């Protein structure tokens, strides 16, 4: 059995990604139990704080996606409760979770990221949608990629190939958030690079290449088995693979992240990677990318999760 006598996995929450979070939580609990860890799974409701106070866990594994799970709010509560947890601090989460802010930070470190503009819903309406959108197309060109500035799982995200498609894309985006990030769409290979730090510094796992059947890695393609083909490791040149690994580790470092993260990239035809966004609570479902990367690296997922919990518990 593990030296960890009591571990808590947080899953669920009230974000749009609740169902994915519940699946991630179940998977993490399963692999931890297989690794000999006593696990309790809890949702984020009114019973959480009293339960933690009455029976404090050795450490918490946060598998909450979107909203409070990744914006630092739940981690702030865990710190108030003096409970160690796997992952980035609240301050780092706040920076990483806001995509325009994260892009600005990594760009200041010299990393490539597509040109973009962040547009709040109020500005979109107050200044006149037609005039603003026309200027965006003039400035950034086509095609474009539109997505909420916060959140994940590709909810509210879409590719825009003509100016006529942009208004509908904005409306769809605003259904999931108050600010839209509109960025140049870079044609290339979509890659995810997970980073883990077991105490010796951040290390990139093998990149995972994503090939959705319908050409778009949307919510259904992410979480429906058989709708996307994955290659782990990605079918990249050694030079491109090294560049992707270096970018993911640099983003992890620049954003002040801790323990684990996943960076999403596009690699163009020349092998040049572009930073898209970073995830501080990577998905852990059967179709998620970090578990695929761990398998490609010949690392047992349960052992990896257990090690991260032990590292967190040692920070108490």
């Amino acid at each position: 059995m593990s030296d960890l006598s009591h571990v808590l996995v947080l899953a669920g929450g009230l974000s749009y990604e609740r169902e994915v979070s519940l699946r991630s939580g179940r998977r993490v609990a399963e692999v931890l139990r297989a690794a000999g860890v006593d696990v309790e799974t809890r949702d984020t409701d009114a019973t959480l704080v009293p339960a933690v106070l009455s029976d404090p866990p050795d450490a918490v594994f946060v598998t909450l996606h979107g909203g409070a799970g990744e914006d630092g709010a739940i981690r702030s509560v865990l710190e108030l409760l003096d409970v160690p947890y796997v992952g980035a601090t609240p301050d780092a989460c706040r920076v990483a979770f806001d995509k325009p802010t994260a892009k600005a930070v990594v760009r200041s470190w010299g990393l490539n990221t597509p040109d973009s503009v962040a547009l709040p819903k109020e500005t979109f309406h107050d200044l006149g949608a037609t005039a603003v959108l026309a200027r965006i197309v003039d400035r950034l060109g086509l095609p474009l990629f539109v997505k909420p500035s916060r959140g994940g799982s590709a909810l509210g995200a879409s590719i825009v190939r003509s100016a006529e498609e942009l208004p509908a894309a904005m409306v769809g985006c605003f259904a999931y958030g108050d600010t839209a990030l509109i960025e140049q769409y870079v044609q290339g290979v979509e890659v995810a690079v997970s980073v883990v730090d077991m105490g010796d510094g951040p290390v990139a796992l093998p990149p995972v290449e994503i090939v959705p059947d319908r050409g778009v890695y949307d919510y259904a393609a992410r979480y429906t088995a058989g709708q996307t083909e994955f290659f782990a490791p990605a079918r990249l040149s050694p030079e491109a693979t090294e560049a992707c690994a270096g970018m993911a580790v640099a983003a992890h470092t620049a954003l002040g992240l801790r323990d684990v993260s996943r960076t999403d990239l596009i690699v163009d035809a020349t092998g040049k990677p572009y930073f898209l966004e970073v995830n501080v609570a990577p998905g852990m479902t059967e179709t998620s990318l970090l578990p695929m990367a761990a398998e490609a690296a010949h690392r047992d997922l349960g052992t990896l999760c257990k090690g991260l919990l032990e590292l967190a518990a040692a920070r108490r």
Side-chain angles (χ1 to χ4, degrees):
M1 293 294 286
S2 168
D3 293 335
L4 297 165
S5 61
H6 179 209
V7 162
L8 185 63
V9 173
L10 287 184
L14 295 177
S15 80
Y16 295 112
E17 299 172 73
R18 174 178 173 81
E19 291 305 315
V20 178
S21 172
L22 290 170
R23 288 169 57 183
S24 284
R26 283 194 296 268
R27 179 83 186 280
V28 169
E30 287 170 3
V31 298
L32 284 172
R33 290 188 182 107
V37 180
D38 178 25
V39 181
E40 177 187 5
T41 302
R42 275 195 170 272
D43 209 329
T44 54
D45 54 27
T47 67
L48 177 62
V49 171
V52 169
L53 289 173
S54 65
D55 186 15
D58 297 316
V60 174
F61 204 110
V62 180
T63 61
L64 299 164
H65 306 316
E70 296 183 67
D71 68 2
I74 287 295
R75 295 161 200 247
S76 293
V77 173
L78 293 175
E79 294 199 350
L80 287 172
L81 298 171
D82 195 28
V83 174
Y85 54 89
V86 172
T89 64
D91 285 347
C93 286
R94 280 186 279 272
V95 173
F97 187 59
D98 187 76
K99 296 179 181 67
T101 303
K103 282 168 64 76
V105 171
V106 301
R107 183 181 286 114
S108 74
W109 275 56
L111 304 186
N112 303 314
T113 187
D115 286 343
S116 62
V117 60
L119 191 63
K121 186 189 302 184
E122 293 81 3
T123 304
F124 178 70
H125 289 301
D126 293 349
L127 297 184
T130 302
V132 172
L133 295 185
R135 184 57 186 152
I136 288 173
V137 172
D138 288 344
R139 172 75 167 77
L140 298 178
L142 291 166
L144 298 166
F145 196 81
V146 178
K147 58 187 174 183
S149 68
R150 313 175 109 212
S153 293
L155 292 168
S158 59
I159 299 174
V160 173
R161 302 192 184 279
S162 69
E164 291 73 25
E165 295 175 353
L166 187 52
M170 297 293 288
V171 171
C173 178
F174 287 138
Y176 290 94
D178 292 332
T179 299
L181 176 65
I182 308 105
E183 63 184 0
Q184 291 176 335
Y185 179 71
V186 178
Q187 187 70 41
V189 178
E190 192 164 356
V191 170
V193 184
S194 299
V195 172
V196 294
D197 185 347
M198 306 303 293
D200 299 321
V203 175
L205 299 181
V208 179
E209 179 182 349
I210 302 154
V211 186
D213 290 348
R214 295 180 297 158
V216 180
Y217 194 43
D218 56 14
Y219 186 90
R222 288 167 188 252
Y223 302 114
T224 305
Q227 289 204 11
T228 299
E229 191 171 9
F230 301 97
F231 296 89
R235 301 170 298 176
L236 299 172
S237 69
E239 294 79 11
T241 297
E242 183 178 356
C244 289
M247 178 170 282
V249 169
H252 182 97
T253 304
L255 294 164
L257 304 183
R258 187 176 68 180
D259 298 340
V260 62
S261 69
R262 191 197 74 231
T263 294
D264 297 337
L265 310 168
I266 288 286
V267 183
D268 71 12
T270 70
K272 179 180 179 180
Y274 289 81
F275 172 92
L276 298 179
E277 57 189 80
V278 71
N279 193 309
V280 300
M284 302 293 279
T285 74
E286 298 78 5
T287 58
S288 292
L289 302 166
L290 188 149
M292 292 182 199
E295 183 177 356
H298 307 292
R299 300 182 69 162
D300 177 72
L301 185 61
T303 303
L304 178 63
C305 292
K306 176 183 172 182
L308 290 170
L309 283 162
E310 289 172 339
L311 193 66
R315 288 196 290 259
R316 183 188 291 273

